[in-house]
């Protein structure tokens, strides 16, 4: 791992700087949609919070990996949530790493930040939803899932997603309840 990388919370002034990273996992995402999402998560963060700070960490936010010059090479968003099997969990989404030379080093930095954050927030587990781009489809090794396994993560579930704005085959909701649901 390159010691020149540091994990730190996304600052409000950095929201636009992080936009190209997010577009790597969400092509076509509008900048206004990203700004609204990031602002909502950062709105829950007390000043001075994050994995390396002395203040209390926020229960939701965005963690970045930056080099010494402040350029972002990766990020993830998180939220503390209750879970039936694990109790209090750190739920991680929008995990992205962009670098030409050290994908594993940046991923490891993000994973260590996740661990520290989860422990500081009193979580019993970390649940990470990886973008489809990190799923291995051929025989070549993919460094991102390998980093997760090396750091002690294991695949526990498969998550399916249905975009209701794209697939318009749903029955309309009935007044007073959902159609077909008692």
């Amino acid at each position: 791992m390159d010691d020149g990388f540091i994990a730190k919370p996304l600052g409000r002034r950095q929201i636009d700087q992080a936009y190209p990273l997010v577009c790597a996992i969400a092509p076509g995402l509008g900048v206004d949609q990203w700004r609204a999402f990031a602002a909502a998560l950062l709105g829950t963060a007390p000043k001075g919070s994050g994995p390396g700070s002395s203040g209390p960490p926020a229960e939701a936010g965005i963690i970045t990996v930056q080099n010494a010059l402040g350029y972002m090479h990766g990020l993830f968003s998180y939220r503390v949530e209750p879970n039936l099997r694990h109790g209090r969990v750190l739920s991680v989404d929008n995990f992205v790493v962009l670098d030409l030379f050290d994908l594993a080093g940046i991923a490891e930095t993000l994973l260590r930040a996740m661990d520290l954050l989860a422990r500081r927030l009193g979580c019993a587990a970390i649940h990470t939803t990886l973008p489809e781009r990190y799923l291995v489809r051929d025989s070549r090794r993919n460094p991102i899932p390998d980093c997760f396994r090396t750091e002690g993560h294991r695949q526990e579930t498969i998550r399916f997603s249905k975009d209701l704005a794209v697939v318009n085959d749903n029955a309309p909701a009935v007044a007073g309840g959902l159609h077909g649901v008692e």
Side-chain angles (χ1 to χ4, degrees):
M1 178 180 79
D2 184 344
D3 292 329
F5 294 118
I6 184 167
K8 57 195 264 184
L10 180 72
R12 290 189 182 280
R13 293 182 180 163
Q14 297 176 305
I15 290 174
D16 285 353
Q17 183 185 351
Y19 178 66
L21 281 171
V22 176
C23 284
I25 58 170
L29 180 75
V31 69
D32 289 336
Q33 189 176 356
W34 163 245
R35 286 175 178 156
F37 174 83
L41 283 179
L42 297 182
T44 63
K47 197 169 184 91
S49 65
S53 70
S54 59
E59 297 226 345
I62 300 169
I63 300 296
T64 65
V65 167
Q66 301 177 23
N67 66 13
L69 300 173
Y71 292 108
M72 290 183 205
H73 294 265
L75 63 77
F76 66 82
S77 60
Y78 70 92
R79 184 175 307 277
V80 174
E81 298 177 344
N83 179 268
L84 178 63
R85 292 175 31 187
H86 298 286
R88 189 174 166 91
V89 299
L90 186 71
S91 182
V92 175
D93 207 354
N94 304 308
F95 187 95
V96 60
V97 172
L98 283 181
D99 192 78
L100 294 175
F101 305 107
D102 193 9
L103 288 174
I106 295 162
E108 289 168 6
T109 302
L110 285 171
L111 287 164
R112 289 187 182 124
M114 265 187 232
D115 282 354
L116 180 59
L117 189 59
R119 291 177 197 286
R120 290 189 64 211
L121 288 165
C123 295
I126 300 169
H127 291 177
T128 305
T129 301
L130 287 177
E132 190 175 11
R133 69 181 276 175
Y134 294 131
L135 298 177
V136 179
R137 290 198 171 93
D138 58 22
S139 61
R140 294 176 293 179
R141 305 283 296 166
N142 187 325
I144 302 302
D146 289 345
C147 287
F148 274 86
R149 288 184 200 94
T150 300
E151 293 294 323
H153 295 249
R154 63 181 168 72
Q155 185 174 339
E156 190 173 80
T157 62
I158 297 173
R159 179 178 169 192
F160 289 92
S161 179
K162 180 177 183 179
D163 188 343
L164 297 177
V166 175
V167 181
N168 193 12
D169 63 352
N170 295 304
V174 176
L178 296 174
H179 179 67
V181 177
E182 300 283 327

